[in-house]
């Protein structure tokens, strides 16, 4: 091994095997290494871990000392520490899963100053016992850094508030000279202000990264038969890939997982109603096995940093854009192409509105929730670039991306102003008729002039609006109604989702608002066609010829064995992209192998010879 590197870039090369920092990483790492405080706002997958790991390593090498990483995600610590140890960095975690002996051994390592990084849960960090240990380290100059991960947990505005985080200001009060770096993927101003105030980061430099995830392709399709659409999406584009399918209810999670299995797709359910044991097992399989599809409620995902999740699919509409962005952000953390796909329909709009209306929360809170839902619905109905809208929501200007469904296949639009007026006036006629209210199905029947039992029962063939929309197909009417509800001109109420006009419907009725709507697609077109050639093997992240594919497969088999031996997920040994690059460039020497991105000094030493042998022996 080369002499220990003492600069951030040299550590990045030697330890992590990466050629360059990404985005703001370098500025952050240099600032913190030099002893400054930092608040880092970076999207999921942006590369936050390196922002504290590299300074921790450099500071340790320069003057020993341990970096304390505060993280709420116990499940994650094991794998993070495993990844660091694989890279030759002495790291450990302290949490409730350890036996007393194990914990004591790690505490000894920490107190000796040999440990480089220590991960601990916030409730442990703030105990008198742990603080006394920190005092002792501090006196001996052996505290190198504090990293506070998931820093938004300190804010009540956020969705993951944790009481324990409030007590973390003690770190500043007691160890003012030790640099602190707080990190989060939550971007809004209120949360940011809260973090700065509560963690006393007033003098920290704030680093805001772009929240764009350019490798994620966004697509939102209209539901017709959501399950079939999902199956087609997976079969056409993600055969053999790992992915997450989000559903609203536990029941739907169970049913969808069972159904995918029947269709030959390895799927597992995950929701808060399952035993903790089952949940852990399923999560483990998702992390460790290849190509598992997790069907889950929102209970799943926090702290999942599996880098090769190739798609996130929503079978139901999330609550708001924040949730949608956080959930879809779990795709493609490795920077390789990934899909965020959602199927969305009239019922989703109705359900989400109802959940808000029926919640016991105060009126002001509900108003806020409705506004957030409206923003998401506008995104779903948009006929322009999805990414521009997403980023604009987070206050970031951008231009059309060329990597979303609307950019790739611009949807046709039609002027639905007249149709909308017809629908709304029909609802108005019902109302005039002794305050009657009906749901979407009957409304469409009347507009299209269909003679049904219900029409006969209520003599609706006598209404002036009967049959005024016979020229518009049923699917298109559904789309009009969905969009009218999404835009807030119609409200669906009560057990039967009967439709009612809102205040804003007046302006549409008076013809003051022009409505340009998407033309509903008969058969939603997919971007990519199914892979030709009939090979079932998962495609490599870089193009490989047939021999390359065989070398790639051999390397993956070798990696699976190492991962099993070390009880770690395969991606911690090497990422897919690193293996694919090995298969493509066929390095013949350790030197050449060491130049591949993702191959650090320690891994080269531990695995280099084995890899060269695998490459030589590959058929
Ligand atoms: P975050 O915590 O912000 O969601 P991670 O720290 O997990 O993101 O990083 C996401 C992925 O990107 C990881 O697999 C990591 O190894 C990789 N990565 C981060 N920085 C770099 C870099 N400079 N070069 C190459 N890969 C990187
Ligand atoms: Zn776009």
């Amino acid at each position: 091994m080369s002499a220990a590197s003492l600069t951030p870039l040299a550590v990045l090369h030697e330890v992590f095997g990466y050629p360059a920092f990404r985005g703001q990483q370098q500025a952050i790492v240099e600032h913190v290494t030099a002893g400054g405080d930092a608040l880092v706002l970076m999207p999921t997958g942006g590369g936050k871990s390196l922002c504290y790991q590299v300074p921790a390593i450099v500071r340790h090498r320069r003057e020993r000392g341990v970096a304390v990483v505060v993280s709420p995600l116990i499940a994650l610590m094991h794998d993070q520490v495993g990844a660091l140890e694989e890279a030759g960095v002495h790291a450990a975690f302290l949490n409730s899963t350890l036996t007393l002996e194990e914990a004591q051994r790690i505490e000894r390592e920490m107190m000796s100053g040999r440990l480089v990084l220590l991960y601990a849960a916030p409730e442990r960090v703030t105990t008198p016992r742990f603080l006394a240990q920190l005092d002792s380290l501090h006196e001996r100059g052996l505290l190198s850094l504090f990293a506070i991960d998931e820093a938004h947990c300190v804010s009540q505005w956020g969705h993951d508030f944790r009481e324990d985080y409030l007590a973390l200001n003690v770190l500043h009060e007691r160890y003012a000279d030790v640099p602190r770096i707080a990190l989060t993927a939550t971007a809004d101003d209120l949360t940011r202000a809260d973090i700065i105030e509560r963690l006393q980061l007033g003098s920290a430099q704030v680093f805001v990264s772009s929240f764009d995830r350019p490798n994620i392709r966004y697509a939102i399709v209209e539901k017709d038969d959501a399950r079939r659409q999902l199956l087609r999406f997976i079969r056409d584009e993600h055969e053999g890939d790992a992915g997450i399918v989000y559903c609203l209810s536990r029941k739907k999670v169970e049913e969808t997982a069972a159904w995918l299995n029947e269709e030959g797709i390895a799927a597992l359910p995950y929701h808060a109603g399952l035993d903790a044991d089952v949940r852990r097992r399923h999560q483990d399989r998702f992390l460790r096995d290849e190509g598992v599809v997790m069907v889950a409620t929102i209970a799943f995902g926090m702290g999942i940093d599996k880098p090769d999740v190739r798609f996130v699919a929503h079978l139901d509409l999330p609550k708001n854009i924040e949730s949608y962005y956080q959930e879809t952000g779990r795709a493609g953390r490795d920077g390789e192409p990934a899909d965020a796909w959602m199927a969305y329909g009239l019922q989703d709009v109705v359900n989400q509105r109802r959940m808000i209306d029926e919640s016991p929360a105060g009126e002001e809170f509900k108003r806020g929730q409705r506004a957030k839902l409206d923003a998401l619905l506008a995104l779903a109905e948009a006929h322009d670039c999805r990414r521009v809208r997403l980023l604009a929501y987070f206050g970031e200007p951008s231009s059309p991306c060329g990597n979303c469904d609307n950019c790739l296949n611009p949807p046709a639009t039609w002027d639905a102003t007249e149709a909308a007026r017809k629908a709304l006036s029909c609802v108005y006629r019902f109302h005039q008729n002794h305050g009657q209210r009906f749901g979407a199905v009957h409304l469409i029947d009347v507009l299209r002039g269909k003679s049904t039992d219900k029409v006969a029962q209520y003599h609706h063939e006598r209404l002036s609006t009967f049959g005024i929309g016979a020229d518009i197909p049923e699917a298109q009417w559904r789309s009009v109604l969905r969009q009218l509800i999404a835009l807030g001109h119609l409200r669906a109420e009560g057990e039967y989702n009967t439709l009612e006009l809102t205040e804003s419907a007046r302006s549409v009725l008076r013809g003051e608002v022009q409505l340009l709507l998407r033309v509903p697609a008969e058969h939603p077109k997919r971007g990519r066609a199914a892979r030709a050639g009939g090979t079932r093997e998962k495609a490599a992240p870089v193009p490989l010829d047939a021999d390359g594919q065989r070398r790639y497969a051999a390397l993956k088999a070798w990696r699976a064995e190492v991962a099993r031996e070390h009880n770690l997920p395969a991606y911690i040994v090497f990422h897919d992209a690193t293996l694919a690059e090995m298969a493509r460039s066929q390095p013949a020497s350790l030197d050449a192998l060491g130049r591949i991105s993702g191959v650090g000094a320690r891994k080269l030493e531990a695995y280099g010879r084995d890899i060269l042998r695998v490459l030589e022996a590959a058929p």
Side-chain angles (χ1 to χ4, degrees), residues 218 384-388 399-408:
Y218 299 95
D384 49 7
C385 178
R386 310 267 191 205
R387 193 180 314 268
V388 166
S399 45
C401 72
N403 191 29
C404 72
D405 54 352
N406 287 351
C407 281
L408 291 165

Side-chain angles (χ1 to χ4, degrees), residues 544-588:
L544 294 172
D545 59 15
D547 286 344
Q549 287 289 356
R550 273 195 290 276
R551 287 191 292 274
Y552 182 56
L555 286 167
K556 278 173 95 176
W558 166 82
R559 179 182 68 177
E561 215 159 285
V562 176
R564 240 190 324 274
E565 259 168 44
H566 296 203
N567 185 28
L568 286 170
Y571 60 79
I572 284 182
V573 182
F574 285 113
H575 282 184
D576 285 358
T578 304
L579 292 190
E581 185 50 31
M582 291 175 190
R584 193 192 63 79
S585 65
Q586 297 189 71

Side-chain angles (χ1 to χ4, degrees), residues 18 20-22 25 43-50 307 333 575:
Y18 292 140
F21 282 113
R22 268 191 203 156
Q25 278 177 337
T44 308
K48 285 187 284 301
S49 319
L50 285 185
R333 294 170 90 116
H575 282 184

Side-chain angles (χ1 to χ4, degrees), residues 293-305:
V293 174
M294 189 68 106
V295 186
T297 59
I298 51 169
F300 179 74
M302 166 88 157
I304 295 300
D305 70 348

Side-chain angles (χ1 to χ4, degrees), residues 9-78:
L9 193 62
V11 164
L12 183 74
H13 293 160
E14 180 217 304
V15 177
F16 297 94
Y18 292 140
F21 282 113
R22 268 191 203 156
Q24 300 220 49
Q25 278 177 337
Q26 179 149 12
I28 297 163
V29 164
E30 279 173 0
H31 179 74
V32 175
T33 303
D37 290 347
L39 171 58
V40 172
L41 305 153
M42 211 183 249
T44 308
K48 285 187 284 301
S49 319
L50 285 185
C51 294
Y52 60 83
Q53 288 171 349
V54 172
I57 297 165
V58 175
R59 287 176 69 89
H60 179 89
R61 286 181 175 181
R62 287 181 185 168
E63 38 198 322
R64 308 207 306 155
V66 58
V68 177
V69 183
V70 184
S71 164
L73 307 165
I74 288 182
L76 214 75
M77 294 181 186
H78 175 263

